[in-house]
């Protein structure tokens, strides 16, 4: 059968040897024999055995070296070279005879093995029945081998999804093409890349070996498919990087490939099959359908061994991201009820078996992989509107995708956590100005994408571990009268925090542990709950100059700018260098392990300087030239010298540790965008080179003479930290990245409120007794469902279910993919996950699935799925419709509130909340209902009921000071002054622990002073 590739000349292997092949083979065989036998024979004949005739003694190392000794040394070197040559010959002969593909590499034998490879291939041509290995000679030998598979931790794991069955018309079409030769060119062959099985992935080499009979023909497949947009929205750009679910067009002589009409090839590239991605419908069951089985029996629970975890060692642990997707089990479809009783069921993956997958190059975790290597995620062109249940027309059709994803921010976990903390404080101010019945304004456009990236990348637990761990260490060292160590680097891995200290100390304070003879102090992540319970409010941050410089294979690396005791120079291409400096400035300005600090930006444009000053006005100052900044820097340095002399402490670290002259040790950091002029550079070097820690740090670009540390970053984003010995993928924040962040913060600075969407009411939601599934969002996420669920897949399936619960009007499958898998996924993975959730939710009392497709192809939840947020909305609507029962309905609504909205969300998930009203609407409604109920109960003379209402609202919005004022008024109305003091102490403790509380509102302070005249305001860090 001829396909459309029949028009081009595919690579064919010769079946006959030429005279040149025979002569080359004989010559190679003679040369190999001479090298393998002649060399050792000559050495043994002339110089004898290389083994010594006596046991070596110490005198052999001290006697005089003469010509004989030098000749003996040279003979030993020749023997070593021959042994290496013999190893190369053995490896190449084994690979050529066994046909294993690319031979194993012999250490330190690059050129030697390449030469041996050519000789062995030429010699083997004399004994093989085909010249299939001949292209290795013309292709340059080993230089043309396919890139080796890099076994790195994966940020997203693709697993077996059964392929869709071939179309029934495929066989008749083949017969028609055989009968009509004129139509042969209208077909082509394709191959679908299989999902991985365990650690085994497919590669182009192995696909070529399986389908074309020769792995070295992988370039033919690559050239046919280069640049084609695949079903997941990405393109084939690197021959060694293919993904499960991709469609590859194959050469005409490919075997084990599917023959399709050429006109359908575009659909296969775009959708993965020949028809657009429309929701599948199951055929209605015949009238004489078998009896439906109970929901628990419809799908057997997945039988899968729990994932294993490698034991920890003393070395810093390798950061391993948990698998995002687990292999779905092949499930038998449940018995369908009659069509009159059940809506169309959710499509299931086909049960067609797939061949055993082989190798695909894995991907590094998202938090660690550099921006230049990360695949572009899928981004919907337009998002669904969630106001009043209406949607934009874009939901009706599959969305388009682009590559405008702020990789640098998503990969900077600590920077993202700091920005989200600052954003939370800004939105708290918005909530303060919010009017009753309104919510704060929501971001749009680039601001949404920036917030989505921040939510994906932020590692709040790691930021808290770093902050609290260092403060606790400082407090413990001060209590023991010990000095803080100098920290040159910090490694933040998946389960621990490591400090590289000098000099070494084997006795760290608990819960820190010493490793490597005291050179490394380690704090496990399991110590975080104990640290949070400690009283660390008044402890100064000991190392405010710690900042991330990038990541390596094991985790994130930070360095202390103050530890340089001088200037830090950053060399490299201007754009990459600027992205590094921008990331340093953003993290310093927003991190939580610093207290009061001053950052002076020099030479940055108004966009970065002014934008960063808007985010952290108390930390950042931007000036145009170094000359403008030097007077303040010199004055600050003199203040630190005077403080050291007056306080009697030996260093800045000791002053911070003991809390002596606290304001004197607040740091000042300089970050420049351009290399300083020579005159100003000399002045700056003289200021910086103090030889001791001076609560200051200086980072400048270019090659500056006199710099203490010099770092180099290349165009690919690789940073080498000079004498520190760090070689990392640099943390980068480009211009477009921080522009989106600044737009996000400008939106959060808008104080005009937005009216809450109206409540439609409608039918009363099912009660807890009437529902077959219950989804709780007003607190920690909880799902009560009858079906089975594998624990390893629960997080993903729960997020998918929450997204559907937040969209009661239904969601198109393509929209669902873009929300749950923002970096992209295949339709097979999506459909398998939806089917798994459908099995989890089971069926309602009438046998209808609790998850189904409606007539427009949207995925929806059934009528017996009870969502507490929908019940809350209905009760609020009912309280307005029946004023006589307003108090009762509001009390019922607040009983549904169990804690902060969607609490205990796993890291990196629910990024779609940035483009949804849920986090903006739900807190506003709960706060309004709680405040209204407090007012009503105080008017009714029920102060204790008012206290309960305020407490219920604070469960979801603990940072809302309006509710705290309601609680104080209601508690005071009970006449129990002691309880008022308890409430004030509780508020005082929350101000110290919660990063969103940077100080009380004046109205709150005034109320507390009125109720408790002896109260004193709480300071903030």
């Amino acid at each position: 059968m001829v396909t459309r590739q029949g028009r081009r000349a595919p690579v064919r292997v010769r079946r006959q040897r030429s005279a040149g092949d025979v002569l080359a083979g004989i010559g190679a065989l003679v040369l190999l024999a001479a090298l393998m036998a002649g060399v050792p024979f000559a050495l043994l004949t002339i110089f004898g055995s290389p083994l010594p005739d006596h046991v070596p003694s110490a005198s052999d190392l001290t006697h005089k070296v003469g010509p004989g000794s030098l000749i003996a040394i040279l003979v030993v070197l020749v023997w070593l070279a021959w042994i290496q040559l013999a190893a190369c010959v053995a490896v190449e002969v084994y690979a050529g005879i066994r046909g294993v593909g690319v031979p194993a590499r012999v250490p330190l034998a690059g050129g030697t093995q390449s030469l041996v490879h050519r000789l062995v291939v030429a010699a083997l041509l004399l004994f093989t029945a085909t010249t299939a290995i001949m292209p290795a000679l013309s292709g340059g030998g080993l230089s043309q081998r396919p890139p080796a598979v890099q076994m790195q931790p994966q940020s997203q794991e693709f697993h077996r999804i059964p392929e869709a069955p071939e179309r029934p018309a495929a066989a008749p079409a083949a017969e028609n093409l055989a009968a009509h030769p004129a139509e042969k060119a209208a077909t082509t062959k394709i191959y679908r890349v299989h999902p991985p099985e365990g650690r085994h992935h497919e590669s182009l080499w192995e696909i070529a070996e399986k389908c074309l009979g020769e792995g070295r023909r992988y370039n033919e497949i690559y050239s046919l498919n280069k640049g084609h947009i695949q079903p997941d929205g990405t393109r084939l750009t690197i021959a060694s990087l293919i993904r499960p679910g991709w469609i590859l067009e194959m050469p005409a002589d490919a075997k084990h490939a599917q023959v399709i009409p050429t006109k359908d090839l575009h659909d296969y590239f775009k959708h993965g099959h020949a028809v657009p991605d429309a929701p599948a419908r199951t055929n209605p069951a015949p009238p004489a359908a078998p009896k439906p089985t109970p929901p628990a029996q419809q799908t057997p629970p997945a039988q899968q061994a729990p994932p294993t975890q490698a034991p920890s060692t003393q070395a810093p642990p390798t950061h391993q991201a948990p698998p995002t997707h687990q292999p779905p089990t092949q499930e038998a479809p449940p018995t369908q009820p009659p069509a009159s009783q059940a809506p169309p069921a959710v499509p299931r993956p086909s049960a067609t078996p797939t061949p055993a997958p082989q190798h695909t190059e894995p991907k590094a975790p998202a938090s660690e992989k550099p921006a230049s290597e990360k695949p572009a995620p899928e981004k919907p062109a337009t998002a669904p509107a969630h106001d009043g249940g209406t949607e934009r027309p874009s939901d009706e059709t599959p969305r388009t995708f682009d590559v405008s994803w702020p990789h640098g921010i998503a990969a900077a976990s600590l920077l993202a956590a700091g920005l989200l903390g600052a954003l939370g404080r800004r939105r708290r101010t918005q909530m303060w100005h919010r009017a009753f019945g309104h919510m704060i304004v929501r971001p749009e456009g680039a601001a949404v994408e920036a917030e989505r990236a921040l939510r994906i990348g932020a590692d709040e637990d790691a930021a808290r571990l770093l902050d609290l761990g260092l403060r606790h260490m400082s407090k413990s060292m001060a209590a023991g009268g010990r000095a803080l160590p100098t920290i040159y680097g910090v490694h933040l891995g998946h389960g621990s925090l490591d400090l590289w200290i000098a000099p070494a100390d084997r006795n760290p304070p608990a819960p820190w542990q010493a490793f490597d003879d005291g050179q490394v102090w380690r704090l496990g992540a399991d110590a975080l709950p104990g640290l949070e319970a400690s009283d660390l409010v008044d402890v100064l941050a000991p190392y405010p100059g710690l900042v991330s410089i990038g990541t390596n294979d094991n985790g994130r690396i930070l360095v202390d700018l103050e530890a340089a005791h001088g200037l830090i120079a950053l060399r490299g291409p201007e754009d990459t260098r600027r992205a590094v400096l921008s990331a340093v400035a953003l993290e310093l300005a927003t991190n939580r392990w610093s207290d009061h600090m001053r950052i002076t930006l020099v030479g940055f444009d108004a966009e970065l300087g002014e934008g960063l000053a808007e985010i952290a006005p108390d930390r950042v100052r931007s000036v145009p030239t170094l000359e403008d900044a030097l007077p303040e820097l010199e004055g600050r340095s003199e203040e630190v010298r005077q403080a050291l002399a007056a306080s009697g402490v030996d260093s800045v670290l000791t002053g911070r540790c003991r809390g002596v002259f606290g304001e004197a040790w607040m740091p000042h950091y300089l970050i420049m965008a351009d290399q300083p002029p020579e005159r100003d550079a000399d002045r700056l070097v003289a200021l910086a080179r103090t030889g001791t820690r001076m609560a200051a740090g200086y980072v400048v670009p270019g090659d500056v003479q006199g710099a203490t540390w010099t770092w180099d970053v290349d165009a690919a984003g690789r940073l080498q930290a000079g004498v520190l010995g760090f070689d990392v993928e640099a943390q980068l924040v480009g211009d477009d990245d921080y522009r989106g962040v600044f737009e996000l913060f400008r939106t959060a600075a808008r104080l005009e409120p937005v009216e809450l969407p109206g409540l439609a009411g409608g039918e009363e939601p099912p009660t807890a007794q009437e529902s077959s599934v219950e989804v709780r969002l007003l607190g920690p996420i909880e799902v009560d469902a009858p079906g089975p669920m594998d624990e390893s897949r629960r997080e993903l399936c729960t997020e998918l279910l929450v997204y559907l619960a937040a969209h009661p009007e239904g969601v198109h499958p393509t929209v669902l993919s873009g929300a749950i898998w923002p970096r992209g996924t295949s339709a097979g993975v999506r459909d398998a996950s939806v089917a798994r959730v459908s099995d989890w939710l089971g069926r309602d009392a009438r046998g209808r699935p609790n998850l189904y497709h409606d007539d427009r192809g949207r995925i929806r939840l059934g009528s017996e799925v009870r969502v507490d947020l929908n019940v809350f909305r209905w009760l609020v609507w009912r309280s307005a419709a029946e004023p006589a029962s307003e108090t009762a309905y509001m009390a019922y609504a607040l009983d549904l509130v169990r804690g902060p909205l969607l609490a205990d969300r796993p890291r990196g998930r629910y990024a779609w909340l940035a483009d949804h009203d849920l986090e903006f609407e739900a807190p506003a409604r709960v706060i309004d209902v709680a405040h209204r109920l407090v007012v009503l109960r105080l008017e009714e003379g029920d102060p204790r009921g008012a206290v309960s209402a305020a407490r219920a609202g604070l469960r979801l919005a603990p940072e809302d000071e309006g509710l705290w004022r309601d609680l104080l008024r209601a508690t005071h109305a009970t006449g129990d002054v002691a309880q008022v003091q308890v409430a004030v102490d509780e508020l005082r403790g929350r101000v110290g622990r919660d990063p969103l509380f940077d100080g009380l509102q004046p109205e709150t302070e005034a109320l507390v002073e009125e109720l408790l005249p002896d109260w004193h305001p709480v300071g903030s860090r």
Side-chain angles (χ1 to χ4, degrees):
M1 180 177 296
V2 179
T3 66
R4 72 178 192 143
Q5 284 78 34
R7 303 179 190 139
R8 64 187 74 174
V11 176
R12 298 288 186 181
V13 293
R14 301 193 306 270
R15 299 296 178 182
Q16 301 294 332
R17 302 180 187 87
S18 64
D21 293 340
V22 174
L23 291 176
I26 294 174
L29 194 61
V30 171
L31 183 57
L32 283 173
L35 290 173
M36 294 303 297
V39 171
F41 177 78
L43 290 173
L44 290 173
T45 302
I46 300 174
F47 301 103
S49 173
L51 300 177
D53 54 2
H54 65 278
V55 178
S57 63
S59 62
D60 293 333
L61 302 176
T62 58
H63 74 277
K64 186 177 180 180
V65 177
S69 299
L70 294 177
I71 293 175
I73 293 173
L74 293 176
V75 170
V76 171
L77 293 178
V78 174
W79 274 109
L80 292 177
W82 180 83
I83 292 173
Q84 185 187 60
L85 177 71
C88 293
V89 172
V91 167
E92 294 295 335
V93 170
Y94 173 81
I97 295 176
R98 297 296 301 272
V100 298
V102 179
R105 303 298 298 165
V106 177
L108 305 178
T112 303
Q113 187 172 4
S114 180
L115 174 63
V116 170
H117 173 79
R118 294 172 179 271
L119 294 175
V120 170
V121 169
L124 288 178
L125 289 175
L126 295 174
F127 307 103
T128 56
T130 178
T131 57
I133 58 177
M134 193 60 187
L137 289 172
S138 60
L142 293 179
S143 64
Q144 297 299 322
R145 70 186 187 279
V149 175
Q150 300 176 1
M151 299 308 295
Q152 299 174 353
Q154 293 183 346
S155 63
Q156 187 174 6
E157 203 169 333
F158 293 88
H159 298 273
R160 179 185 296 275
I161 302 297
E163 291 184 345
E166 294 185 2
R167 302 175 65 191
E175 295 176 0
N176 293 337
L177 290 169
H180 302 282
E183 300 178 8
K184 289 180 180 180
T187 65
T188 187
K189 292 183 179 181
I190 63 170
Y191 181 87
R192 189 186 306 272
V193 181
H194 297 301
E197 184 174 355
R199 298 178 63 87
H200 202 187
H201 308 258
E202 282 193 310
S203 66
L204 285 183
W205 179 277
E206 296 189 0
I207 293 174
E209 196 171 54
K210 176 171 62 175
C211 299
L212 304 179
E214 174 52 55
R216 292 183 176 87
R217 293 182 62 188
Y218 75 93
N219 273 323
E220 296 180 49
I221 306 176
Y222 174 70
S223 62
L224 285 174
N225 296 276
K226 181 179 179 181
H228 282 302
I229 299 178
Q230 294 289 339
D232 61 359
T234 57
R235 302 171 186 265
L236 175 62
T237 56
I238 304 175
S240 59
L241 181 59
I242 60 174
R243 298 185 183 180
W246 276 10
I247 301 298
L248 302 178
E249 187 178 9
M250 303 296 289
D253 59 336
K255 300 178 181 179
H256 310 295
Q258 180 181 353
V259 180
I260 64 168
T262 302
K263 63 182 181 63
D264 290 340
L265 181 61
H266 177 73
D267 289 336
Y268 274 88
F269 277 130
K270 185 175 182 181
H271 305 290
H273 45 77
V275 294
D277 189 10
R281 300 178 181 273
T282 56
N283 295 327
K291 296 181 180 180
T293 57
Q297 300 176 2
Q298 290 174 4
T299 304
Q303 302 293 331
Q304 181 180 353
T308 58
Q309 189 173 6
S312 60
T313 63
Q314 290 189 359
T318 300
H319 180 84
Q320 294 180 353
T324 305
H325 309 294
Q326 299 295 336
T329 55
Q330 296 184 1
E331 303 159 342
T335 304
Q336 300 290 336
S340 59
Q341 297 181 11
V346 174
R348 296 175 175 277
S350 166
T352 304
T354 58
Q358 296 167 23
H359 272 289
T360 302
E361 181 174 342
K363 296 179 290 184
S367 61
E368 298 178 9
K369 198 165 185 180
S372 61
E373 296 181 5
K374 288 189 178 182
E378 297 180 347
K379 182 177 89 72
T382 53
H386 307 297
D387 45 357
T390 61
E391 282 193 352
R392 299 173 188 169
S394 61
D395 274 357
E396 303 294 342
T397 58
R399 299 182 174 195
T400 59
F401 305 100
D402 61 27
V403 295
S404 58
W405 187 262
H407 296 213
I409 301 176
S413 58
L414 297 180
L415 188 156
L419 285 172
L420 282 183
L423 182 64
R425 289 189 290 273
R426 188 69 58 86
R427 284 179 174 168
R428 175 175 172 265
T429 302
Q430 283 184 296
M431 291 291 290
W432 180 17
H433 291 84
R434 180 189 65 90
F436 188 90
H438 291 71
M439 64 182 184
I440 64 176
V441 65
R442 204 178 55 146
E444 297 178 352
V448 171
E449 296 306 322
E451 183 173 356
R452 193 176 295 178
L454 292 177
R455 289 172 180 264
I456 289 176
D459 192 348
E460 179 62 28
D461 288 343
R464 292 205 312 273
L465 182 67
L466 179 62
D467 176 33
L468 299 179
L470 294 177
R471 293 182 193 272
H472 187 274
M473 181 183 71
S474 177
K475 182 178 180 180
S476 300
M477 298 288 276
R482 302 170 60 189
L484 284 171
T486 297
I487 297 177
Y488 285 95
V490 173
H491 169 265
L492 193 57
H494 179 60
S496 65
L497 168 66
D498 290 353
L499 308 180
W500 287 304
I501 67 172
D505 188 343
R506 298 183 181 181
N507 299 303
W512 292 85
Q513 295 177 307
F515 293 88
D516 294 341
D517 292 329
Q519 295 180 9
V520 174
W521 286 6
R522 175 171 300 167
L523 179 66
D526 54 359
L528 185 57
L531 297 176
E532 291 177 331
S534 303
D535 183 13
L536 303 174
V537 176
D538 298 327
V539 180
L540 294 177
Y543 304 99
L546 285 172
V547 66
S548 302
I549 61 171
T551 58
N552 60 13
D553 292 339
N554 296 326
R556 182 164 298 277
I557 303 297
L558 298 89
V559 299
D560 188 0
L561 301 183
E562 297 181 7
H565 300 169
L567 208 64
I568 302 174
L570 177 65
R571 300 183 300 196
E574 182 179 357
D575 292 344
T576 311
R577 191 177 63 196
R578 179 184 175 87
V580 172
L581 296 172
S582 300
V584 169
L586 277 169
E587 186 169 299
L588 285 174
T590 58
N591 70 48
R592 59 173 292 165
W593 55 89
S594 303
D595 297 331
H596 303 289
M597 71 160 59
R598 188 71 167 168
I599 304 171
T600 298
L601 303 179
V602 178
F604 287 90
D605 55 28
E607 187 174 32
L608 177 64
E610 295 177 3
L612 197 54
E614 290 178 9
I615 293 178
D618 57 332
R619 291 191 177 187
V620 177
R621 172 189 178 223
S622 180
V623 296
T625 65
L626 179 58
E627 187 177 2
D628 298 326
L630 280 173
E632 182 181 2
L633 294 170
E634 292 169 339
R636 178 59 183 163
S637 178
E638 183 60 29
E639 290 176 1
V640 174
R641 287 191 178 90
Q642 294 176 3
L644 286 171
S647 63
V649 298
D650 59 349
S651 71
V652 170
L653 285 179
T654 303
R656 290 172 181 163
C657 181
R658 298 179 183 175
V660 181
F661 283 50
E663 288 294 329
W665 322 123
M666 297 300 106
H668 194 151
Y669 302 126
L670 171 74
I671 303 175
M672 295 190 63
D674 300 313
Q675 185 170 347
E678 184 176 354
R679 184 185 64 179
D680 292 338
D682 294 339
R683 186 178 169 186
L684 181 62
V685 170
L687 172 65
R689 299 197 71 171
T690 59
T692 184
R693 185 184 295 262
M694 293 296 294
Y698 310 89
V699 184
V700 299
D703 195 353
V704 180
Q705 186 175 4
T708 305
W709 291 347
T710 299
W711 299 344
D712 292 283
V713 62
D714 58 25
R718 196 78 191 177
L719 187 147
Q720 295 181 341
V723 296
L724 296 179
F726 298 132
D727 185 359
V728 297
E729 294 292 345
Q731 178 168 283
L732 307 173
V733 175
D735 295 352
D736 292 338
D737 298 348
Y738 65 67
R739 287 191 187 109
V741 171
F742 295 159
E743 183 61 31
L744 176 63
F745 275 83
R746 292 188 187 102
T747 302
R750 293 167 53 188
L751 301 181
E752 67 275 15
V754 177
E755 189 173 356
L756 285 169
L759 297 174
E763 297 182 1
E764 181 178 359
T767 63
Q769 293 76 20
E770 297 171 343
S771 64
S772 53
V773 176
E774 189 161 1
V775 182
R776 305 182 187 93
L777 311 180
L778 299 176
I781 303 173
E782 296 178 357
V783 179
D784 289 338
M789 175 51 60
D790 187 349
E791 286 301 321
S792 62
R793 301 184 176 100
R794 184 178 293 274
E795 286 186 358
L796 172 65
C797 292
T798 299
E799 182 183 3
L800 194 152
L801 179 57
V802 170
Y803 186 79
L804 294 175
H807 296 78
E809 70 281 1
V811 179
H812 190 279
T814 308
V815 177
L816 182 68
S817 294
I820 307 301
W821 294 274
R823 294 186 180 96
T825 190
S826 64
V829 171
R830 176 199 64 205
D831 293 342
S833 300
V834 172
R836 193 174 296 115
V837 174
S838 178
D839 293 334
W840 187 21
L841 301 186
R843 295 176 175 270
D844 61 18
R846 290 182 285 179
R848 302 177 302 179
N850 283 317
L851 186 67
Y852 66 96
H853 278 102
D854 63 14
D855 294 337
R856 294 190 294 172
R858 303 172 188 269
I859 306 174
R860 304 187 64 170
L861 297 178
S863 60
E864 288 190 8
V865 177
R866 174 184 166 93
V867 181
D868 60 352
L869 180 59
N870 295 338
V871 177
F872 183 93
R873 289 169 174 158
W874 186 87
L875 290 171
V876 174
W877 170 80
R878 196 66 180 170
S879 68
E882 297 184 19
S885 302
E886 182 180 11
T887 301
Y889 280 119
M890 286 187 172
Y892 295 151
L894 289 177
D895 287 341
L896 298 172
V897 178
R898 299 168 293 107
L901 181 71
L902 302 176
D904 300 333
R905 300 194 299 269
R907 177 195 168 198
R909 294 196 178 276
Y910 297 85
W912 52 268
L913 288 170
D915 194 27
H916 195 279
D917 282 342
L918 186 59
E919 283 193 320
F920 299 86
E921 176 203 357
R925 290 200 188 278
V926 171
I927 292 170
D928 286 352
V929 169
H931 175 72
R932 175 63 177 166
L933 189 56
V934 168
V935 172
L936 291 176
R937 284 182 167 169
L938 287 177
E939 291 176 352
E940 295 172 355
D942 182 12
R944 297 193 181 279
V947 170
S948 298
R951 289 284 185 188
L954 287 171
R955 287 198 294 268
L956 186 134
E959 74 282 355
D960 186 78
E961 291 191 33
L963 289 178
W964 279 104
R965 293 193 291 268
D966 287 339
L967 175 63
L968 293 175
R969 294 190 189 97
T971 305
H972 185 265
T974 63
D976 191 341
V977 180
Q979 288 300 314
V980 176
Q981 183 66 55
V982 170
V984 170
D985 291 342
E986 186 179 350
L987 177 59
R988 182 194 299 267
R990 180 166 289 279
V991 169
R993 293 190 308 270
D994 195 332
L996 297 182
F997 275 103
D998 52 358
L1000 293 179
Q1001 299 170 8
E1003 187 178 352
T1004 305
E1005 292 185 355
L1007 176 62
V1008 174
E1009 291 175 353
E1010 178 185 350
L1011 301 180
L1012 295 176
D1014 296 334
W1015 179 81
H1016 299 286
V1018 180
S1020 61
R1021 291 204 299 262

